[in-house]
Amino acid sequence: MSLGRLIGSTALDLLLALLIAFAGVFVYASAIAPTTSVGLARIAQAFGLPVRAADAVGPGRYLLSVDCTALPADDQAFIDWLRDHVGTRSVSVQRTEIPPGPQGETRQVEAIFYAPERLQKPAVPWQKLGYQPGQPAPRTGWSSMTPPVAYPPTDAELLMISLGSLQVGLLLTGFVRTWRNRNLPGMDLPREDGALAGGLGTEGDEEDDPTRPREDLALFGGLVLGMVLGGLYWAWDQALLHLWGPPASHSRPWLCLPSVGWNIARADLPFPWRSVEPHLILLLTLAGMAFLFPLAYTVFFGGLFRMWSASGRPWAGAVLTVLLAAGFVLDRHFIPAAVLLAVPVVWLSWWSRSLLAPLLALIILSLTMIGTAFGVLPGLPHPTNLLVGKWQPLDGDPRPPLGPVNLTHDGPFQFLRGDSVRGGYTLEGDTRRGVLRMPSNYQWIDAEHIRLIVKKESFDYTTSAASIETDLELVAYRVAVDRKELVLTRIGDGKVFRFRRVD
């Protein structure tokens, strides 16, 4: 095959893989984000591309409900009214039976929709639309979420979605390439006399080159190299953390794995999988990381290297394979390590004359990456590792008293791997009217400072027209932590919060 045809075939394979990856990202943006354009803009923003801030901010998300004694045959008139008078999009309406209310209410109608930010509660003419709210004081509910709350995925989560889509593209394209390579000779490198050493599809391998390893050692070679790659990955992980700091070391998208799914309501999942433990989203993500990534890389880059090798350009194919494999990790801080890891895997492909050996090595590497992300493979002492765990305030439990406020996830202040937070709720006011603050995520600014992302709910249940307004607050803290005690000093006012470890 000529050099021009090799370059053309490689370019077509890459284009097909990227098109499939983009299709996956587009489906996600269309199905999950408030609008497709906002979803794509947020993903581009996560990649560091220049995007106007306004393009990446979607509409607010709202919930409007009313308790009724009687309902019309359907809710189409209500949906049309919202679209005409409020400018809503993606309206969904649900009817539920409720325990009999003080005014005879037995049914509740709830609409969830997106609309312009800071929308005030609309004055819906319920009776004109065929609804019969309880009288004399109709019981209604109104909940508003600002755009950051309505569409809250982190950059790491968006990059992880893009990385998963890319793996699907590489896998499907790799299968096509493997089928097209079926009649090619094996992956060969030049011998000292200038001839090609025998490979897959040739006869007399050992006679051509008696020094080449036997194929029955392929799996053993994959096992050994996989453990070596795991050790190299752990060493690079620790070097990034201790030499370049948390922002560089935490930029790999798969490090968000431990926090995937915990803040996704199980009610949003299909009914058969709502009770699955661990969370279904986490299980699917782990399966993709453990098996989709190794298989996709092995099939795609193994097929690419074999095509170049069979055409008499094994060294050019090896260099191209290594550079592409490193670039597709989608993290510039990790590219040098990815190059270091890819070189022996390409060598193993040639050495073993099989795809099973590199597949096994990459599975072991992937399990190491998962183990490092979850802390199963512990790292050297560092504040980012010491912060993970459950912490009890030294001045008492801040848990608000029980009431109509949702405290499902409250408890000790818990920092999770993957930059999520549980518990640590604080309440200003009482359970009928007040402000509830719920930490949701944290980001390391440097080795001594974090930025805490707090969900703020301002609620009022004192009247029949209940309301909740939800927004986000960003608060920076200085961190001093050891194995037993945590001290957070708020940057804005210098207030100090002390905690002791309880796990």
Short mmCIF file of all heavy atoms in Angstrom, two decimals, residues 396-445:
data_model
loop_
_atom_site.label_atom_id
_atom_site.label_comp_id
_atom_site.label_asym_id
_atom_site.label_seq_id
_atom_site.Cartn_x
_atom_site.Cartn_y
_atom_site.Cartn_z
N GLY A 396 -20.56 21.09 67.57
CA GLY A 396 -21.90 20.52 67.53
C GLY A 396 -22.34 20.16 66.13
O GLY A 396 -21.76 20.59 65.15
N ASP A 397 -23.40 19.36 66.07
CA ASP A 397 -23.93 18.89 64.80
C ASP A 397 -24.79 19.98 64.17
O ASP A 397 -25.73 20.46 64.79
CB ASP A 397 -24.79 17.65 65.06
CG ASP A 397 -25.22 16.96 63.78
OD1 ASP A 397 -25.10 17.58 62.72
OD2 ASP A 397 -25.68 15.80 63.87
N PRO A 398 -24.45 20.43 62.92
CA PRO A 398 -25.23 21.51 62.30
C PRO A 398 -26.53 21.03 61.67
O PRO A 398 -27.21 21.80 61.03
CB PRO A 398 -24.27 22.01 61.22
CG PRO A 398 -23.56 20.78 60.78
CD PRO A 398 -23.36 19.97 62.04
N ARG A 399 -26.87 19.76 61.82
CA ARG A 399 -28.06 19.22 61.16
C ARG A 399 -29.30 19.99 61.58
O ARG A 399 -29.61 20.12 62.77
CB ARG A 399 -28.22 17.75 61.51
CG ARG A 399 -29.44 17.10 60.87
CD ARG A 399 -29.61 15.68 61.41
NE ARG A 399 -30.82 15.09 60.89
CZ ARG A 399 -30.85 14.24 59.87
NH1 ARG A 399 -29.73 13.94 59.27
NH2 ARG A 399 -31.97 13.72 59.45
N PRO A 400 -30.07 20.52 60.64
CA PRO A 400 -31.30 21.23 60.97
C PRO A 400 -32.34 20.28 61.55
O PRO A 400 -32.30 19.07 61.32
CB PRO A 400 -31.77 21.79 59.61
CG PRO A 400 -30.59 21.71 58.72
CD PRO A 400 -29.79 20.55 59.21
N PRO A 401 -33.29 20.79 62.30
CA PRO A 401 -34.36 19.93 62.82
C PRO A 401 -35.22 19.39 61.69
O PRO A 401 -35.32 19.98 60.62
CB PRO A 401 -35.16 20.88 63.73
CG PRO A 401 -34.87 22.25 63.19
CD PRO A 401 -33.46 22.20 62.71
N LEU A 402 -35.82 18.24 61.92
CA LEU A 402 -36.66 17.64 60.89
C LEU A 402 -37.88 18.50 60.61
O LEU A 402 -38.42 19.16 61.48
CB LEU A 402 -37.11 16.24 61.33
CG LEU A 402 -36.00 15.19 61.45
CD1 LEU A 402 -36.58 13.89 61.97
CD2 LEU A 402 -35.34 14.97 60.11
N GLY A 403 -38.32 18.47 59.37
CA GLY A 403 -39.47 19.25 58.95
C GLY A 403 -39.71 19.03 57.47
O GLY A 403 -39.27 18.03 56.90
N PRO A 404 -40.39 19.94 56.81
CA PRO A 404 -40.67 19.77 55.39
C PRO A 404 -39.46 19.94 54.49
O PRO A 404 -39.54 19.73 53.29
CB PRO A 404 -41.71 20.87 55.10
CG PRO A 404 -41.42 21.92 56.13
CD PRO A 404 -40.99 21.17 57.35
N VAL A 405 -38.30 20.33 55.07
CA VAL A 405 -37.10 20.48 54.27
C VAL A 405 -36.53 19.10 53.96
O VAL A 405 -36.52 18.20 54.79
CB VAL A 405 -36.05 21.32 55.04
CG1 VAL A 405 -34.78 21.47 54.22
CG2 VAL A 405 -36.62 22.68 55.38
N ASN A 406 -36.06 18.91 52.72
CA ASN A 406 -35.51 17.63 52.30
C ASN A 406 -34.11 17.45 52.88
O ASN A 406 -33.17 18.14 52.50
CB ASN A 406 -35.45 17.57 50.77
CG ASN A 406 -34.85 16.25 50.29
OD1 ASN A 406 -34.71 15.33 51.06
ND2 ASN A 406 -34.49 16.21 49.02
N LEU A 407 -33.95 16.50 53.80
CA LEU A 407 -32.65 16.24 54.43
C LEU A 407 -32.20 14.81 54.17
O LEU A 407 -31.53 14.19 54.98
CB LEU A 407 -32.75 16.48 55.95
CG LEU A 407 -33.12 17.90 56.36
CD1 LEU A 407 -33.31 17.99 57.86
CD2 LEU A 407 -32.08 18.88 55.90
N THR A 408 -32.57 14.29 53.00
CA THR A 408 -32.30 12.89 52.68
C THR A 408 -30.83 12.54 52.81
O THR A 408 -30.47 11.48 53.31
CB THR A 408 -32.78 12.58 51.25
OG1 THR A 408 -34.16 12.96 51.15
CG2 THR A 408 -32.64 11.10 50.95
N HIS A 409 -29.95 13.43 52.36
CA HIS A 409 -28.52 13.12 52.31
C HIS A 409 -27.75 13.77 53.45
O HIS A 409 -26.52 13.83 53.40
CB HIS A 409 -27.92 13.57 50.97
CG HIS A 409 -28.44 12.82 49.80
ND1 HIS A 409 -29.29 13.37 48.88
CD2 HIS A 409 -28.24 11.54 49.41
CE1 HIS A 409 -29.58 12.47 47.96
NE2 HIS A 409 -28.97 11.36 48.25
N ASP A 410 -28.43 14.29 54.47
CA ASP A 410 -27.70 14.98 55.50
C ASP A 410 -27.01 13.99 56.43
O ASP A 410 -27.33 12.82 56.50
CB ASP A 410 -28.63 15.90 56.30
CG ASP A 410 -27.84 16.87 57.15
OD1 ASP A 410 -26.69 17.18 56.77
OD2 ASP A 410 -28.35 17.31 58.18
N GLY A 411 -26.09 14.50 57.21
CA GLY A 411 -25.30 13.69 58.12
C GLY A 411 -23.97 14.37 58.33
O GLY A 411 -23.83 15.58 58.13
N PRO A 412 -22.93 13.64 58.73
CA PRO A 412 -21.61 14.25 58.87
C PRO A 412 -21.14 14.86 57.56
O PRO A 412 -21.50 14.41 56.47
CB PRO A 412 -20.73 13.07 59.29
CG PRO A 412 -21.66 12.07 59.87
CD PRO A 412 -22.94 12.22 59.11
N PHE A 413 -20.32 15.88 57.69
CA PHE A 413 -19.76 16.56 56.52
C PHE A 413 -18.78 15.59 55.86
O PHE A 413 -17.74 15.25 56.43
CB PHE A 413 -19.04 17.82 56.99
CG PHE A 413 -18.84 18.85 55.93
CD1 PHE A 413 -19.41 18.73 54.68
CD2 PHE A 413 -18.06 19.97 56.19
CE1 PHE A 413 -19.22 19.69 53.71
CE2 PHE A 413 -17.86 20.95 55.22
CZ PHE A 413 -18.45 20.80 53.98
N GLN A 414 -19.08 15.11 54.64
CA GLN A 414 -18.28 14.07 54.01
C GLN A 414 -17.74 14.54 52.66
O GLN A 414 -18.49 14.88 51.75
CB GLN A 414 -19.12 12.80 53.80
CG GLN A 414 -18.33 11.65 53.19
CD GLN A 414 -19.16 10.40 53.01
OE1 GLN A 414 -20.36 10.41 53.25
NE2 GLN A 414 -18.52 9.33 52.61
N PHE A 415 -16.41 14.55 52.55
CA PHE A 415 -15.75 14.84 51.28
C PHE A 415 -15.49 13.51 50.57
O PHE A 415 -14.86 12.60 51.14
CB PHE A 415 -14.43 15.58 51.51
CG PHE A 415 -14.59 16.99 51.98
CD1 PHE A 415 -14.65 17.29 53.33
CD2 PHE A 415 -14.71 18.03 51.06
CE1 PHE A 415 -14.80 18.60 53.77
CE2 PHE A 415 -14.87 19.34 51.48
CZ PHE A 415 -14.92 19.62 52.84
N LEU A 416 -15.98 13.40 49.34
CA LEU A 416 -15.82 12.19 48.55
C LEU A 416 -14.71 12.36 47.53
O LEU A 416 -14.44 13.47 47.07
CB LEU A 416 -17.13 11.85 47.83
CG LEU A 416 -18.38 11.69 48.67
CD1 LEU A 416 -19.58 11.47 47.77
CD2 LEU A 416 -18.24 10.53 49.64
N ARG A 417 -14.10 11.26 47.14
CA ARG A 417 -13.22 11.30 45.99
C ARG A 417 -14.07 11.59 44.75
O ARG A 417 -15.20 11.16 44.65
CB ARG A 417 -12.49 9.97 45.83
CG ARG A 417 -11.54 9.68 46.98
CD ARG A 417 -10.73 8.41 46.74
NE ARG A 417 -9.91 8.12 47.91
CZ ARG A 417 -8.72 8.62 48.15
NH1 ARG A 417 -8.18 9.45 47.27
NH2 ARG A 417 -8.05 8.31 49.23
N GLY A 418 -13.50 12.31 43.81
CA GLY A 418 -14.28 12.75 42.67
C GLY A 418 -14.87 14.13 42.86
O GLY A 418 -15.67 14.59 42.05
N ASP A 419 -14.50 14.80 44.00
CA ASP A 419 -14.84 16.21 44.24
C ASP A 419 -16.31 16.44 44.54
O ASP A 419 -16.85 17.50 44.23
CB ASP A 419 -14.42 17.08 43.05
CG ASP A 419 -12.92 17.08 42.83
OD1 ASP A 419 -12.21 16.66 43.77
OD2 ASP A 419 -12.46 17.47 41.76
N SER A 420 -16.99 15.48 45.17
CA SER A 420 -18.37 15.69 45.62
C SER A 420 -18.41 15.75 47.14
O SER A 420 -17.49 15.29 47.82
CB SER A 420 -19.30 14.59 45.11
OG SER A 420 -19.49 14.71 43.72
N VAL A 421 -19.51 16.31 47.65
CA VAL A 421 -19.68 16.48 49.09
C VAL A 421 -21.06 15.98 49.48
O VAL A 421 -22.05 16.19 48.76
CB VAL A 421 -19.55 17.97 49.50
CG1 VAL A 421 -19.73 18.14 50.99
CG2 VAL A 421 -18.21 18.53 49.06
N ARG A 422 -21.13 15.34 50.63
CA ARG A 422 -22.41 14.95 51.21
C ARG A 422 -22.54 15.58 52.59
O ARG A 422 -21.55 15.81 53.27
CB ARG A 422 -22.53 13.43 51.33
CG ARG A 422 -22.67 12.69 50.02
CD ARG A 422 -22.86 11.21 50.28
NE ARG A 422 -22.93 10.44 49.06
CZ ARG A 422 -23.05 9.12 49.01
NH1 ARG A 422 -23.09 8.43 50.13
NH2 ARG A 422 -23.10 8.49 47.84
N GLY A 423 -23.79 15.77 52.98
CA GLY A 423 -24.05 16.25 54.33
C GLY A 423 -23.59 17.68 54.54
O GLY A 423 -23.36 18.44 53.60
N GLY A 424 -23.46 18.05 55.81
CA GLY A 424 -23.02 19.39 56.15
C GLY A 424 -24.04 20.46 55.90
O GLY A 424 -23.70 21.63 55.69
N TYR A 425 -25.34 20.12 55.94
CA TYR A 425 -26.38 21.11 55.70
C TYR A 425 -26.44 22.12 56.85
O TYR A 425 -26.22 21.76 58.01
CB TYR A 425 -27.74 20.45 55.58
CG TYR A 425 -27.94 19.54 54.39
CD1 TYR A 425 -26.90 19.29 53.50
CD2 TYR A 425 -29.16 18.93 54.16
CE1 TYR A 425 -27.08 18.46 52.42
CE2 TYR A 425 -29.35 18.09 53.07
CZ TYR A 425 -28.30 17.86 52.20
OH TYR A 425 -28.48 17.04 51.11
N THR A 426 -26.74 23.35 56.53
CA THR A 426 -26.97 24.37 57.56
C THR A 426 -28.25 25.11 57.24
O THR A 426 -28.60 25.29 56.06
CB THR A 426 -25.81 25.37 57.64
OG1 THR A 426 -25.63 26.00 56.36
CG2 THR A 426 -24.52 24.67 58.04
N LEU A 427 -28.97 25.52 58.26
CA LEU A 427 -30.28 26.15 58.09
C LEU A 427 -30.32 27.48 58.81
O LEU A 427 -29.99 27.58 59.99
CB LEU A 427 -31.38 25.23 58.64
CG LEU A 427 -32.81 25.77 58.59
CD1 LEU A 427 -33.26 25.94 57.15
CD2 LEU A 427 -33.76 24.84 59.34
N GLU A 428 -30.72 28.53 58.09
CA GLU A 428 -31.01 29.83 58.68
C GLU A 428 -32.53 29.99 58.71
O GLU A 428 -33.18 29.87 57.68
CB GLU A 428 -30.39 30.95 57.85
CG GLU A 428 -28.87 30.92 57.81
CD GLU A 428 -28.32 32.02 56.91
OE1 GLU A 428 -29.13 32.84 56.44
OE2 GLU A 428 -27.10 32.03 56.68
N GLY A 429 -33.08 30.29 59.87
CA GLY A 429 -34.53 30.37 60.01
C GLY A 429 -35.05 29.09 60.62
O GLY A 429 -34.38 28.44 61.44
N ASP A 430 -36.26 28.68 60.23
CA ASP A 430 -36.83 27.44 60.73
C ASP A 430 -37.29 26.59 59.55
O ASP A 430 -37.07 26.94 58.39
CB ASP A 430 -37.99 27.71 61.70
CG ASP A 430 -39.07 28.60 61.07
OD1 ASP A 430 -39.41 28.36 59.89
OD2 ASP A 430 -39.58 29.51 61.74
N THR A 431 -37.93 25.48 59.86
CA THR A 431 -38.29 24.55 58.79
C THR A 431 -39.53 24.99 58.02
O THR A 431 -39.92 24.32 57.06
CB THR A 431 -38.55 23.15 59.39
OG1 THR A 431 -39.57 23.24 60.38
CG2 THR A 431 -37.27 22.60 60.00
N ARG A 432 -40.14 26.10 58.40
CA ARG A 432 -41.28 26.62 57.64
C ARG A 432 -40.87 27.75 56.70
O ARG A 432 -41.43 27.92 55.63
CB ARG A 432 -42.37 27.15 58.59
CG ARG A 432 -42.92 26.12 59.56
CD ARG A 432 -43.67 25.02 58.83
NE ARG A 432 -44.83 25.54 58.10
CZ ARG A 432 -45.58 24.82 57.29
NH1 ARG A 432 -45.27 23.54 57.07
NH2 ARG A 432 -46.61 25.35 56.67
N ARG A 433 -39.84 28.48 57.10
CA ARG A 433 -39.37 29.59 56.28
C ARG A 433 -37.91 29.86 56.60
O ARG A 433 -37.56 30.10 57.77
CB ARG A 433 -40.21 30.84 56.55
CG ARG A 433 -39.88 32.02 55.65
CD ARG A 433 -40.83 33.17 55.93
NE ARG A 433 -40.64 34.27 54.99
CZ ARG A 433 -41.38 35.38 54.97
NH1 ARG A 433 -42.38 35.50 55.83
NH2 ARG A 433 -41.14 36.32 54.10
N GLY A 434 -37.05 29.78 55.61
CA GLY A 434 -35.63 29.99 55.87
C GLY A 434 -34.79 29.75 54.64
O GLY A 434 -35.28 29.70 53.51
N VAL A 435 -33.48 29.57 54.90
CA VAL A 435 -32.51 29.33 53.83
C VAL A 435 -31.71 28.10 54.22
O VAL A 435 -31.09 28.06 55.28
CB VAL A 435 -31.58 30.54 53.63
CG1 VAL A 435 -30.53 30.22 52.58
CG2 VAL A 435 -32.38 31.78 53.23
N LEU A 436 -31.75 27.11 53.35
CA LEU A 436 -31.02 25.86 53.56
C LEU A 436 -29.83 25.83 52.61
O LEU A 436 -29.97 26.01 51.40
CB LEU A 436 -31.92 24.66 53.30
CG LEU A 436 -31.29 23.27 53.45
CD1 LEU A 436 -30.91 23.02 54.91
CD2 LEU A 436 -32.23 22.19 52.95
N ARG A 437 -28.63 25.62 53.17
CA ARG A 437 -27.42 25.52 52.35
C ARG A 437 -26.92 24.08 52.37
O ARG A 437 -26.75 23.50 53.45
CB ARG A 437 -26.35 26.49 52.85
CG ARG A 437 -26.66 27.94 52.53
CD ARG A 437 -25.58 28.87 53.04
NE ARG A 437 -25.74 30.22 52.51
CZ ARG A 437 -26.54 31.14 53.05
NH1 ARG A 437 -27.25 30.84 54.15
NH2 ARG A 437 -26.64 32.34 52.50
N MET A 438 -26.68 23.55 51.16
CA MET A 438 -26.30 22.14 51.00
C MET A 438 -25.04 22.05 50.13
O MET A 438 -25.12 22.25 48.92
CB MET A 438 -27.44 21.35 50.35
CG MET A 438 -28.75 21.41 51.13
SD MET A 438 -30.15 20.74 50.18
CE MET A 438 -30.37 22.07 48.98
N PRO A 439 -23.88 21.80 50.72
CA PRO A 439 -22.67 21.64 49.90
C PRO A 439 -22.85 20.50 48.90
O PRO A 439 -23.39 19.44 49.24
CB PRO A 439 -21.60 21.30 50.94
CG PRO A 439 -22.13 21.84 52.24
CD PRO A 439 -23.62 21.67 52.16
N SER A 440 -22.39 20.71 47.66
CA SER A 440 -22.56 19.68 46.63
C SER A 440 -21.24 19.24 46.01
O SER A 440 -21.07 18.07 45.71
CB SER A 440 -23.50 20.19 45.53
OG SER A 440 -22.97 21.35 44.90
N ASN A 441 -20.32 20.17 45.78
CA ASN A 441 -19.03 19.84 45.15
C ASN A 441 -17.93 20.70 45.75
O ASN A 441 -18.21 21.72 46.39
CB ASN A 441 -19.07 20.06 43.64
CG ASN A 441 -20.06 19.16 42.93
OD1 ASN A 441 -21.22 19.50 42.79
ND2 ASN A 441 -19.61 18.00 42.48
N TYR A 442 -16.70 20.28 45.53
CA TYR A 442 -15.56 21.11 45.91
C TYR A 442 -14.48 21.00 44.84
O TYR A 442 -14.40 20.00 44.11
CB TYR A 442 -15.01 20.72 47.28
CG TYR A 442 -14.36 19.36 47.36
CD1 TYR A 442 -12.97 19.22 47.32
CD2 TYR A 442 -15.12 18.19 47.48
CE1 TYR A 442 -12.37 17.97 47.40
CE2 TYR A 442 -14.54 16.94 47.56
CZ TYR A 442 -13.16 16.83 47.52
OH TYR A 442 -12.57 15.59 47.59
N GLN A 443 -13.69 22.03 44.72
CA GLN A 443 -12.60 22.07 43.74
C GLN A 443 -11.33 22.54 44.44
O GLN A 443 -11.36 23.50 45.22
CB GLN A 443 -12.94 23.05 42.60
CG GLN A 443 -14.21 22.71 41.85
CD GLN A 443 -14.63 23.85 40.94
OE1 GLN A 443 -14.19 24.99 41.08
NE2 GLN A 443 -15.51 23.55 39.99
N TRP A 444 -10.23 21.86 44.17
CA TRP A 444 -8.95 22.29 44.72
C TRP A 444 -8.40 23.43 43.89
O TRP A 444 -8.22 23.31 42.68
CB TRP A 444 -7.97 21.13 44.74
CG TRP A 444 -8.21 20.18 45.88
CD1 TRP A 444 -8.94 19.03 45.84
CD2 TRP A 444 -7.73 20.33 47.22
NE1 TRP A 444 -8.95 18.43 47.08
CE2 TRP A 444 -8.21 19.21 47.95
CE3 TRP A 444 -6.95 21.27 47.88
CZ2 TRP A 444 -7.94 19.02 49.29
CZ3 TRP A 444 -6.68 21.09 49.23
CH2 TRP A 444 -7.16 19.98 49.92
N ILE A 445 -8.16 24.57 44.54
CA ILE A 445 -7.55 25.72 43.87
C ILE A 445 -6.03 25.56 43.83
O ILE A 445 -5.39 25.82 42.83
CB ILE A 445 -7.94 27.02 44.60
CG1 ILE A 445 -9.48 27.17 44.65
CG2 ILE A 445 -7.30 28.23 43.92
CD1 ILE A 445 -9.94 28.33 45.51
#
